Amino acid sequence: MRVLLTGATGFIGHAVAQALRERGHAVVAATRRPPPGGQDHVQADFASVPSRAWWLPRLADIDAVVNAIGILREQGGQRFEALHHRAPAELFHACAVAGVKSVVQVSALGADASGHTGYHCSKKAADDVLRSLPLRAAIVQPSLVYGAGGTSAALFDKLALAPLLPFPAGGRMLVQPVHIDDLVEGIVRLVEGPPDEVATFAFAGPRPLALADYLRALRAAMGEDARQWIVPIPASLFRAGAALAGAIPGSMLDRDTADMLLAGNATQANALPALLGRAPREARDFIAPPARESARREAALDLWLPVARLALALLWIWTAIVSFGLYPVRDSYALLARVGLHGTLATLALYGAAALDLVQGLLTLAAPARWRRWNWLAQIALVGGYTALITIFLPEYWLHPYGPIAKNLPILALIALLWSLEPPARGGRR
């Protein structure tokens, strides 16, 4: 079969493309930016809503269509209404006219009359359009999808490693996570054997789990002690925290995702066991033993690096505040005099260094991605320079029982780690 696949570069779409090719099918990937010279690609920007007339000639030799386009949050020019509803609707109408043999729409569990978030409502709108058309089609509604490289999987791995979590109702809301391999196998089976008319299939794991139990299962799968302290908090406080998190670029959590999490994500009509002819994978088996340690380390970095970055920023900012006057200015001048700085030069050095520390603290919190590597290098230079000057002119501070200079060594190691984990700037030499 020749299969048109939208969202082929996404988490689910990429896995579907690989599985279809392994089954001997030809995959035509519809993407915003096809690779240069790439074959079997269609350039299509769903944000601009290609019309059904635009799609028709591109469906001429297509046997099946899989729509795996999806975003969890709106950002930039990506909007739920365009990507989840209007663009897929135009594609589905074109499929009906072109006589495409089968269509699979990857929707979401909860995209029904009970859904009220923009994510669920836009998914349901496209599902309803597909249900109205004379096609052999399947609407796949998966629960939380877990797999290597998945954004939600990374989030739940990170939450699973946290020693303490504040959650409404102590994390008792029900979820029914499904592994990406089981989801993809189900999608491929529906592509190859579509229902006679449009039908909806809930895809979920073998049984509902309390969210707290899901996190414990992931902890155990990563080799950690399954015990985790989950503190019940009011739902209103959780939503307020999610609203603040929503202001952070790249954050998965906002008001809508918080509402979806609080509502739970489980089903009593799981179609996956019958379709696969076996039980889906249990959450405790989501992480294969050979991948256990790498998954644990990646989750630990995801969890603690933002904390380390915040702590470093506060260190720079607090140092600046202290230097601006909380520490006796007379004593600061006395120290600068021992370095050979007096009068105006001492004043410039004191307040200039304080201003520089403040700038470094703010950049640690909010530097654009293209600046970060340079910012870490600047911090290494500053801390290294301060350490060298004190070593030369005030060597007795190395013997201070509180270790004010010795502490620069782990700080330098932390900054070097942050620098090394920063992705290199694009467009550099290869």
Side-chain angles (χ1 to χ4, degrees):
M1 295 176 67
R2 191 166 172 82
V3 183
L4 176 76
L5 173 64
T6 68
T9 58
F11 170 53
I12 294 175
H14 178 76
V16 170
Q18 184 176 353
L20 286 170
R21 292 187 179 112
E22 289 174 355
R23 296 276 293 178
H25 302 297
V27 176
V28 179
T31 59
R32 282 189 299 166
R33 299 183 183 90
Q39 296 180 345
D40 282 342
H41 281 79
V42 171
Q43 184 171 9
D45 183 2
F46 267 42
S48 64
V49 189
S51 70
R52 65 195 73 179
W54 184 90
W55 279 112
L56 278 174
R58 293 163 176 84
L59 295 174
D61 59 348
I62 296 298
D63 300 301
V65 167
V66 178
N67 176 42
I69 285 282
I71 56 172
L72 189 61
R73 287 187 59 193
E74 293 182 329
Q75 55 185 347
Q78 297 184 318
R79 292 291 178 265
F80 290 138
E81 179 61 18
L83 272 70
H84 288 177
H85 173 205
R86 292 194 295 124
E90 291 296 311
L91 174 58
F92 299 154
H93 278 288
C95 289
V97 174
V100 173
K101 296 176 183 177
S102 68
V103 174
V104 176
Q105 151 79 340
V106 181
S107 182
L109 197 62
D112 50 35
S114 66
H116 64 276
T117 65
Y119 175 84
H120 281 137
C121 290
S122 57
K123 284 285 189 181
K124 180 182 182 299
D127 297 349
D128 288 343
V129 170
L130 186 55
R131 292 185 181 106
S132 72
L133 296 173
L135 283 165
R136 298 186 67 186
I139 297 168
V140 173
Q141 296 186 331
S143 182
L144 302 174
V145 182
Y146 186 95
T151 305
S152 65
L155 171 65
F156 286 107
D157 281 352
K158 178 168 60 176
L159 294 177
L161 275 193
L164 181 148
L165 280 177
F167 260 122
R172 290 192 294 274
M173 59 283 291
L174 293 179
V175 296
Q176 201 166 346
V178 59
H179 194 273
I180 182 68
D181 292 347
D182 292 333
L183 168 65
V184 168
E185 184 179 342
I187 290 172
V188 171
R189 287 178 183 248
L190 289 171
V191 170
E192 296 175 335
D196 292 333
E197 57 186 16
V198 182
T200 302
F201 298 83
F203 279 11
R207 58 195 173 88
L209 295 169
L211 178 62
D213 291 333
Y214 177 38
L215 296 179
R216 292 186 187 105
L218 292 179
R219 282 179 67 87
M222 287 186 281
E224 288 284 334
D225 188 318
R227 289 174 296 180
Q228 186 180 39
W229 190 17
I230 296 183
V231 181
I233 61 170
S236 58
L237 183 60
F238 181 72
R239 288 189 175 95
L244 291 175
I248 302 173
S251 169
M252 277 193 64
L253 194 61
D254 62 6
R255 283 191 179 93
D256 278 1
T257 52
D259 284 343
M260 287 189 280
L261 197 58
L262 291 173
N265 201 254
T267 179
Q268 295 181 346
N270 188 8
L272 199 51
L275 191 62
L276 300 182
R278 59 174 175 82
R281 192 179 306 189
E282 293 275 0
R284 64 173 179 266
D285 300 321
F286 278 179
I287 302 172
R292 175 177 296 168
E293 183 57 22
S294 61
R296 190 188 68 80
R297 288 186 180 184
E298 186 172 350
L301 285 173
D302 284 346
L303 174 64
W304 293 113
L305 277 179
V307 177
R309 185 171 166 178
L310 176 61
L312 186 62
L314 293 177
L315 176 64
W316 283 110
I317 293 169
W318 180 247
T319 302
I321 292 171
V322 169
S323 298
F324 275 126
L326 283 185
Y327 186 78
V329 173
R330 181 182 303 173
D331 292 347
S332 295
Y333 280 136
L335 292 173
L336 290 170
R338 293 185 59 188
V339 180
L341 297 175
H342 304 274
T344 302
L345 283 178
T347 300
L348 289 174
L350 175 60
Y351 293 108
L356 196 56
D357 291 348
L358 180 59
V359 168
Q360 286 300 329
L362 296 176
L363 287 176
T364 298
L365 290 173
R370 65 183 183 275
W371 293 3
R372 288 178 193 152
R373 278 198 146 213
W374 291 106
N375 188 48
W376 302 135
L377 291 175
Q379 291 189 17
I380 289 172
L382 275 174
V383 176
Y386 292 156
T387 304
L389 285 173
I390 293 171
T391 299
I392 294 169
F393 295 100
L394 304 165
E396 68 274 14
Y397 277 88
W398 279 101
L399 302 177
H400 196 287
Y402 293 161
I405 306 306
K407 289 173 182 173
N408 284 353
L409 301 180
I411 291 172
L412 284 168
L414 171 60
I415 299 171
L417 176 63
L418 291 167
W419 172 83
S420 66
L421 292 173
E422 206 68 56
R426 295 180 180 178
R429 293 184 179 180
R430 296 173 180 263

